Amino acid sequence: MSLDSKFMSLPREIRDIIYQHYIFDKNGYRFNYESKKFRTSNNELIPFSLMYTCKSVAAEMRGVHLRSNTLVFSTVYSEAECIKAGRFNRLMNHLTSIKDGLLDEGWRNVKPEVRDMVVRKYPQFQSLVDEDRTNAPMNIDHWGMDRRCWGEPRSVYDGFVNYSLGLLRKHMQDDFFPAVIPLDDSRYRNLDMLDRLLALSPMPWAIPSEDIIMEMDETIDFNRTIDSTEEMQQGMWKFLKHRFSAAAVAISFLHSLPQSTLLQIRYISLHEDRESISYAPCHAMGLIHFCKTNTKLRITRVVDVWRNALPAGSDYHLGDVPLYSLVHPDMLSLFEYEDNNEGKDRTNWRNPYTDWLDFMPPEDKDQLHAPEISTSFSVWIEEALALFDAGMPVNAFSLVFDGEITVERSSEVFEIVIQDAVWQEAVDECYSRRFPQAIKDIIRDKSIIRCNFPVGGPWDMEQILDQNRHYTYMHDWEVDWLAKRQPIKFQTVPPLPTWVDLRLDRVFSKGRP
């Protein structure tokens, strides 16, 4: 195409409109994890033919496809990387548990000036630093928070643990080892081995290489005897699909780009359409750097209510083992064994994970229970709100709960979240968490978080407060609310499959292919 062609004689503004129209896909470009390339929403190659007509057009169209289209990422299951993902998930959980234990031991030997330094950076954890466990912020029935995290988002708590351990190590020097390792613990034989553990801080949203997995395995598992329960749980791997979150996939891709290309991107949509590994709600933290580098970048994270948030929330309460045992008797056998050593007959022994199955009515095993619902939503809400304290630019990020497949049932389920938030607000008046305000803002459309189904409902905190102000203990609030929350169970409606089938979406019916 020559410069004096009719096309090139058009005003540049008109040519730019033509370029955008030519390259635009209203449903966005979809990222293919295997090829590491984008395709159209119809799974076709992106139409770059016009760019190849001449150098002038190629120069003018450079970056237009990135500026004009939404880049769509989804959760990824890779058969080739499934085991690696499962190992990473297990190692991350174990690393978190070990560091929690080290810090718990370490507080007993910390000088006041070190405690003060920690509290200045993390004032929300002052009661924990002071070892005043009676003042732990409580949420009714685990609303929104892991109690291990003292009412804060898990990403914030993990940052507190890593910072505190680093500070203790710096100030205690050689005294650190005996301070944090109990005398009967033989896992870490010296301070050098412990330093290797403290230096190990992989990002939860990483898609790790095999070298990273090996380093974690060697550092975390050295000189350690895996207990029998964990050995049995490892046998579950062949039944589970371990997926990477859409955020993790996007972060990996963005890291691969030169800055000049990154600056062209305008819109990213993260479809968290399935459960994924390594505490996915916090993975948007890994996007802050890119949003600060490219101030025009706008990211929307879409969480599927029925195929991700609610099944994952149910896992938080019940764990993987019990439900999967319902459909995999061979998995249940992993928790039943005979041990006649030294004359001990344990033929009838069963792991506590599965004992409750004998007492649950059959119809309850295929229903979503109300106590699981608020946790399912609020872990995502709290982590999204924590992004801005961590440096996410204003207006760069939003979170959407996608329940559009069954709008009415999604609204009914979210009503439980509203009820819980009202009760939590009443509790806060007496004993303070930001969960109730977060739900208020969602209802009033004043939040970065929204639902694509109707939300609403009465918010009469004063009535609850008047009726229950006489309660002295948190337990009284919990018992009363458990008795009054309605409805207490939900079943899915078409076109969704049953609740059990939704939860079993990441389970192989006959083991790993």
Side-chain angles (χ1 to χ4, degrees):
M1 184 180 293
S2 63
L3 290 177
D4 58 351
S5 69
K6 291 184 179 180
F7 179 77
M8 294 304 294
S9 67
L10 294 172
R12 175 62 188 269
E13 293 80 5
I14 300 299
R15 296 202 301 273
D16 285 343
I17 293 173
I18 292 173
Y19 297 148
Q20 292 174 13
H21 180 77
Y22 174 79
I23 209 78
F24 179 68
D25 187 326
K26 67 177 181 179
N27 295 315
Y29 292 162
R30 308 302 171 106
F31 185 71
N32 182 286
Y33 182 74
E34 301 302 328
S35 68
K36 302 296 187 289
K37 297 182 182 297
F38 287 93
R39 298 179 72 90
T40 70
S41 57
N42 294 326
N43 198 31
E44 298 174 349
L45 295 176
I46 295 174
F48 287 129
S49 300
L50 182 58
M51 288 186 66
Y52 303 143
T53 55
C54 77
K55 292 181 179 179
S56 298
V57 172
E60 291 181 351
M61 287 190 68
R62 186 174 294 116
V64 171
H65 64 296
L66 297 176
R67 296 192 297 272
S68 304
N69 289 281
T70 298
L71 305 185
V72 181
F73 298 84
S74 300
T75 54
V76 167
Y77 167 71
S78 168
E79 185 173 324
E81 298 187 66
C82 184
I83 291 295
K84 181 179 75 171
R87 289 174 64 198
F88 181 65
N89 188 57
R90 167 181 166 271
L91 288 167
M92 286 295 293
N93 289 337
H94 195 59
L95 178 62
T96 299
S97 177
I98 291 173
K99 288 187 175 182
D100 281 355
L102 294 176
L103 186 60
D104 196 49
E105 292 289 335
W107 285 134
R108 304 172 187 178
N109 303 282
V110 176
K111 295 179 180 179
E113 56 266 29
V114 177
R115 292 178 185 267
D116 291 343
M117 293 174 67
V118 174
V119 170
R120 280 197 295 272
K121 186 170 180 64
Y122 289 97
Q124 63 269 51
F125 295 111
Q126 179 161 2
S127 294
L128 176 57
V129 173
D130 293 340
E131 295 192 285
D132 182 6
R133 309 303 165 113
T134 61
N135 288 331
M138 299 291 286
N139 299 301
I140 294 179
D141 198 44
H142 294 227
W143 291 350
M145 295 291 98
D146 180 347
R147 291 190 179 185
R148 175 185 72 83
C149 301
W150 281 61
E152 293 294 323
R154 178 167 154 182
S155 60
V156 174
Y157 179 80
D158 288 345
F160 157 76
V161 170
N162 285 316
Y163 174 80
S164 300
L165 285 173
L167 207 58
L168 266 61
R169 173 68 181 93
K170 177 181 178 181
H171 285 267
M172 299 180 73
Q173 299 185 3
D174 291 345
D175 294 332
F176 181 68
F177 181 77
V180 300
I181 301 297
L183 294 177
D184 60 350
D185 193 330
S186 61
R187 289 177 298 179
Y188 310 107
R189 296 187 293 270
N190 55 57
L191 189 55
D192 289 340
M193 298 176 76
L194 193 57
D195 282 340
R196 286 175 56 196
L197 181 78
L198 296 182
L200 196 61
S201 296
M203 296 297 100
W205 48 85
I207 296 182
S209 65
E210 194 61 39
D211 288 343
I212 291 176
I213 294 290
M214 290 179 64
E215 179 187 6
M216 292 179 69
D217 205 28
E218 291 172 0
T219 305
I220 295 172
D221 285 354
F222 50 61
N223 198 35
R224 185 174 68 86
T225 301
I226 302 176
D227 63 46
S228 58
T229 300
E230 187 170 347
E231 286 178 334
M232 292 179 217
Q233 287 178 326
Q234 289 184 57
M236 294 167 53
W237 284 15
K238 66 180 180 180
F239 295 97
L240 302 180
K241 299 176 184 177
H242 301 287
R243 295 183 175 94
F244 295 116
S245 71
V249 174
I251 291 166
S252 177
F253 170 77
L254 294 173
H255 272 303
S256 71
L257 299 179
Q259 183 165 312
S260 58
T261 302
L262 173 63
L263 293 175
Q264 300 295 322
I265 301 173
R266 295 294 180 267
Y267 307 103
I268 290 177
S269 183
L270 307 175
H271 290 190
E272 305 289 0
D273 49 0
R274 295 292 190 279
E275 297 176 68
S276 48
I277 65 166
S278 195
Y279 190 60
C282 80
H283 290 188
M285 287 285 179
L287 296 163
I288 294 175
H289 162 74
F290 303 107
C291 292
K292 293 173 75 172
T293 300
N294 180 358
T295 57
K296 296 180 180 180
L297 180 58
R298 298 293 179 263
I299 299 176
T300 301
R301 200 174 190 195
V302 183
V303 180
D304 192 302
V305 169
W306 292 98
R307 297 187 183 276
N308 186 349
L310 290 174
S314 185
D315 287 346
Y316 295 153
H317 279 257
L318 302 178
D320 289 336
V321 180
L323 189 64
Y324 302 158
S325 300
L326 293 176
V327 293
H328 286 302
D330 45 351
M331 183 182 290
L332 184 60
S333 69
L334 294 169
F335 291 81
E336 301 174 318
Y337 64 89
E338 297 182 17
D339 182 0
N340 295 310
N341 294 333
E342 299 180 6
K344 297 177 182 178
D345 184 1
R346 300 177 65 182
T347 303
N348 296 321
W349 181 89
R350 289 188 65 191
N351 187 282
Y353 279 116
T354 57
D355 284 344
W356 65 276
L357 295 173
D358 293 335
F359 305 101
M360 178 177 281
E363 64 274 12
D364 283 0
K365 298 173 184 177
D366 193 19
Q367 296 188 76
L368 168 65
H369 293 251
E372 305 165 11
I373 293 172
S374 285
T375 297
S376 303
F377 283 95
S378 57
V379 290
W380 293 93
I381 292 171
E382 292 285 355
E383 290 292 350
L385 296 177
L387 289 172
F388 299 95
D389 289 338
M392 177 68 78
V394 177
N395 299 324
F397 180 88
S398 61
L399 178 71
V400 177
F401 288 113
D402 178 16
E404 200 167 27
I405 191 170
T406 55
V407 171
E408 185 175 345
R409 183 51 50 88
S410 298
S411 297
E412 293 170 357
V413 166
F414 198 80
E415 176 62 29
I416 294 294
V417 181
I418 297 172
Q419 292 179 37
D420 283 355
V422 176
W423 271 76
Q424 182 70 62
E425 186 177 46
V427 171
D428 292 347
E429 287 289 316
C430 295
Y431 290 99
S432 113
R433 298 268 56 83
R434 56 185 177 184
F435 176 57
Q437 187 60 49
I439 301 304
K440 279 185 179 180
D441 290 343
I442 293 172
I443 294 172
R444 297 167 182 171
D445 198 22
K446 295 182 178 180
S447 175
I448 63 161
I449 303 160
R450 63 183 178 86
C451 304
N452 63 3
F453 49 86
V455 295
W459 193 286
D460 195 350
M461 184 270 292
E462 292 297 333
Q463 179 181 354
I464 295 173
L465 193 60
D466 290 342
Q467 293 174 351
N468 303 288
R469 195 185 295 272
H470 61 283
Y471 286 152
T472 305
Y473 301 105
M474 175 61 68
H475 177 71
D476 298 329
W477 287 92
E478 291 180 333
V479 170
D480 195 24
W481 175 227
L482 285 172
K484 293 180 179 178
R485 183 194 277 128
Q486 291 294 330
I488 61 172
K489 301 174 187 175
F490 292 89
Q491 180 52 278
T492 57
V493 294
L496 286 170
T498 67
W499 176 239
V500 163
D501 287 338
L502 278 174
R503 286 205 60 204
L504 294 176
D505 175 70
R506 64 189 183 105
V507 180
F508 291 104
S509 60
K510 297 182 180 180
R512 189 171 306 285

